[in-house]
Amino acid sequence: MKTILFSLLALFFAFSSSAQVVEEYGGGKVSENPVMDKIDLKEIGRSIHVASVEEGKVVVRRFYRGKWEEFDQTPIKDIFKLKRLELFAYRATPYVFCQYDDKMTVIRAIDDKWEIVGEETFGEGSVDNTTFSVIGEKPFIVYEDKDYDIIRMFSLYDESWYDFDLMSNEGVKSFKIAANDRGDVFLAVLTDEGMMFKMIDQEVDQMEQWEELSKDYKVENVDRIDDFSFVGNKAYLTYHNEFGPVIITLEDMAKKWEIIEEATDEKVITLGKQHYNLNISEYYFFTSLSDKGMPQFLKNNKKGVWGDVTDLSTKKARAIASDDYRNIIYVAYVDDATQHLMVKKIEKGELESE
C-alpha cells in the first residue's frame, strides 16, 4: 500500500512540475478555422500578437483582457500559396510581411487599423530566402534572386518600393537582417569564409561602402545562420555545431564577437532546425520543430547548463513561432491533425537540478 501511495504521489508531483513548465495560454486553441503552415508570434506594445492565414486571409490576433481578439481585419486576402508570414514590432506598431502567390505585401496597424505600406503588392518574379526588418517606419526586405544569382534588397522611398543589387550570391550560404534600438539595420552574411556584418545604408546603393558592424567572424562547417537579433543595442546570433546551438554576441560598439553558449552535449543534438527561434529572457530558450514534426523547446540557464529537449505536445505540428515577454516564453504552433492554431506559455522552465 505504501508503495502504491508513494508511486501516486511521485506521479502527482511529476505532473505538477510538468504543468508549471508548459501551460495552455488563452485556452490553448486560438483559431476555429484551419490555419496554413506559416505563422508568427511577437510581443508588440505589451501584448502578445499572433499572425496566421485562415481561409486565404491574413489574420492577426492579440491577447487582450484575458482573451484573443482580432482587432481589425487585414487587407491581405485571396492567398493560395503562402511562402512567408512575419510579424515585426517597430516600437508599439505591428507590421506584417506576407509573401504569397509570387508577390509580397507589407501592412501596419496605426491606432488598431491596418493600412498598406507602399504599393499593395510588389516583388513579382524570382524572390527567395526573404528576411524582413523595419526601422524609422521604413521596412527593408533582403532576398535572393536565383534567376540572376544576386542578393537584392527592397526598401521604401517616397511611398514606393524599389530594389537594387547588393552582391553576388556565389558562395553565400545564408543571410539575415536585424535592427537595434538605436535605429540601425544590419545585414549578416554567411559564406565559406565566415560571416560579415554590414550596416544597411539606404542612401548608398553600393554594399561595399556600407559601414561594418564588426570584424568578420571566422567559422567553418556552418550551413546557415539560424537567428540574428538585437536586445537593445546588443547583437545576438546563433548557428549550429555538430551537437546543437551556438550563441555568439557583440556588445554595443564592440568589434569582436564572443561565444557565450555552445552546445557540447550529445543530448542537445535532438533539437530540430525547422522554424528555429531563439528567445532571450531570464534564460536562453530555443523553439523548433523536430525532424518528425514535434513542437519542442530547449532551455539554457545562461550559466552553461543545458536542459533536455522537451516536446510541447504529443502531436505533430506544421509550424512553430515564439517570443518572450516579462521572462515568459509564448509559443504558437499549428496542430497537424486539426490545423488549429495553438498558443502555450513556458513560465520558469525546468529546474536547474533537473
Side-chain angles (χ1 to χ4, degrees):
M1 184 66 181
K2 288 183 178 180
T3 302
I4 295 173
L5 181 60
F6 177 81
S7 298
L8 288 173
L9 287 171
L11 183 61
F12 171 79
F13 284 117
F15 177 80
S16 299
S17 173
S18 176
Q20 291 172 1
V21 175
V22 181
E23 297 178 352
E24 289 192 354
Y25 181 67
K29 188 173 73 172
V30 174
S31 62
E32 296 295 333
N33 301 316
V35 174
M36 295 183 76
D37 61 351
K38 304 287 189 303
I39 58 171
D40 202 9
L41 181 146
K42 287 286 188 301
E43 182 274 317
I44 306 173
R46 297 182 294 180
S47 295
I48 297 299
H49 290 60
V50 61
S52 59
V53 173
E54 304 168 27
E55 298 182 325
K57 182 183 71 173
V58 172
V59 177
V60 180
R61 297 181 177 92
R62 66 183 175 194
F63 194 75
Y64 184 68
R65 294 182 177 178
K67 66 178 182 179
W68 289 98
E69 65 170 14
E70 184 182 354
F71 54 90
D72 188 36
Q73 292 192 3
T74 75
I76 307 177
K77 56 185 179 180
D78 300 327
I79 296 173
F80 294 98
K81 184 179 179 181
L82 178 62
K83 198 166 185 178
R84 188 171 182 84
L85 181 67
E86 188 171 347
L87 275 168
F88 190 90
Y90 177 67
R91 297 180 178 173
T93 300
Y95 280 73
V96 176
F97 166 64
C98 187
Q99 184 181 3
Y100 62 103
D101 302 334
D102 295 325
K103 55 189 174 185
M104 297 182 284
T105 300
V106 176
I107 61 174
R108 65 184 175 191
I110 304 296
D111 296 328
D112 288 347
K113 295 296 182 182
W114 291 106
E115 65 179 29
I116 294 171
V117 179
E119 289 90 354
E120 182 174 353
T121 62
F122 63 98
E124 291 80 2
S126 176
V127 178
D128 293 290
N129 301 322
T130 52
T131 177
F132 176 75
S133 188
V134 180
I135 203 67
E137 299 184 356
K138 292 184 178 181
F140 295 84
I141 301 153
V142 177
Y143 69 98
E144 182 179 8
D145 184 340
K146 292 183 178 180
D147 287 347
Y148 293 93
D149 298 327
I150 292 291
I151 307 297
R152 289 192 166 123
M153 183 178 76
F154 274 103
S155 60
L156 205 61
Y157 185 76
D158 288 339
E159 301 303 318
S160 292
W161 292 100
Y162 75 99
D163 66 338
F164 55 86
D165 298 348
L166 294 182
M167 60 185 296
S168 168
N169 68 355
E170 184 178 357
V172 174
K173 296 181 176 181
S174 180
F175 52 89
K176 297 282 187 181
I177 58 177
N180 64 14
D181 281 1
R182 188 179 296 111
D184 305 311
V185 180
F186 295 94
L187 170 65
V189 180
L190 172 66
T191 68
D192 293 330
E193 304 297 323
M195 299 181 198
M196 67 175 180
F197 305 88
K198 294 279 192 176
M199 184 173 73
I200 293 176
D201 188 343
Q202 188 181 13
E203 304 300 323
V204 178
D205 58 6
Q206 297 296 321
M207 182 177 164
E208 296 82 5
Q209 299 177 15
W210 289 356
E211 181 182 341
E212 293 183 344
L213 171 63
S214 70
K215 297 178 181 178
D216 292 352
Y217 181 79
K218 301 299 182 182
V219 64
E220 297 179 351
N221 301 320
V222 174
D223 295 328
R224 71 176 193 183
I225 299 170
D226 289 323
D227 193 275
F228 180 37
S229 61
F230 283 82
V231 176
N233 293 307
K234 185 176 181 179
Y236 290 84
L237 186 144
T238 60
Y239 59 90
H240 267 67
N241 65 14
E242 60 180 320
F243 296 113
V246 179
I247 310 174
I248 62 174
T249 186
L250 183 73
E251 295 286 349
D252 187 26
M253 307 302 289
K255 290 297 180 183
K256 184 178 180 181
W257 290 83
E258 301 288 345
I259 294 177
I260 53 174
E261 295 297 343
E262 182 174 9
T264 58
D265 192 328
E266 288 189 2
K267 69 178 182 179
V268 179
I269 203 170
T270 56
L271 180 70
K273 294 185 179 181
Q274 301 180 68
H275 299 261
Y276 178 96
N277 191 40
L278 167 68
N279 301 282
I280 302 165
S281 59
E282 182 180 4
Y283 300 89
Y284 298 122
F285 276 93
F286 303 87
T287 55
S288 66
L289 291 183
S290 71
D291 294 339
K292 295 182 179 180
M294 303 302 294
Q296 57 186 194
F297 76 92
L298 171 68
K299 184 204 73 174
N300 180 288
N301 69 351
K302 293 188 177 180
K303 299 177 183 177
V305 179
W306 296 89
D308 293 323
V309 177
T310 305
D311 288 344
L312 285 156
S313 170
T314 58
K315 300 177 181 179
K316 292 182 179 180
R318 298 188 176 187
I320 188 170
S322 59
D323 201 7
D324 59 278
Y325 179 52
R326 293 182 176 176
N327 288 331
I328 298 176
I329 307 298
Y330 296 90
V331 186
Y333 64 90
V334 179
D335 181 77
D336 186 60
T338 65
Q339 299 181 45
H340 285 149
L341 178 65
M342 305 290 292
V343 179
K344 295 187 176 183
K345 66 179 179 181
I346 307 170
E347 291 202 68
K348 292 296 182 183
E350 297 165 304
L351 298 176
E352 294 180 18
S353 61
E354 296 175 348

